[in-house]
Amino acid sequence: MLLSGTLFYTKKEGWDVLDAIYFCVVSLIPTGVETNLYPSTDLGKVFTMIYLVVGTGVMFITLLTLGKTMINAEALEEKRNKLRDKAKK
């Protein structure tokens, strides 16, 4: 996601690489940080709308997967501890 956004904004909007990466990152995380960057072309505006909808979905799925993985790892650890305790008895 970050690569596609960065490439687009540097090529079509003429932004510096650092500005493009910064905009992409800040746009996809709920920080409320004002970037003072915005697309000036119609293509840039359309791309940004699609980028934010798709990017928000990707971020949500990533966080959901991370949360599930952590819960599963915790449950697996508890199961191992119970089996270890049973084996000691």
Side-chain angles (χ1 to χ4, degrees):
M1 284 303 304
L2 295 177
L3 180 61
S4 66
T6 301
L7 290 174
F8 178 85
Y9 293 119
T10 56
K11 299 297 181 198
K12 298 297 181 184
E13 293 293 325
W15 296 355
D16 293 335
V17 172
L18 185 58
D19 286 339
I21 293 171
Y22 181 72
F23 180 80
C24 291
V25 169
V26 171
S27 296
L28 292 178
I29 56 175
T31 59
V33 173
E34 177 60 44
T35 64
N36 292 326
L37 296 169
Y38 54 89
S40 57
T41 64
D42 288 341
L43 179 62
K45 292 172 185 176
V46 170
F47 176 83
T48 300
M49 289 186 283
I50 295 168
Y51 177 80
L52 292 176
V53 169
V54 172
T56 301
V58 169
M59 293 293 286
F60 178 74
I61 290 170
T62 301
L63 291 173
L64 186 64
T65 302
L66 179 62
K68 282 183 176 181
T69 301
M70 291 175 68
I71 289 170
N72 289 340
E74 201 171 287
L76 183 60
E77 186 65 30
E78 284 180 27
K79 202 180 255 188
R80 284 182 186 158
N81 288 340
K82 286 180 184 179
L83 288 173
R84 192 176 303 131
D85 290 343
K86 279 185 181 181
K88 288 181 181 179
K89 292 179 183 181

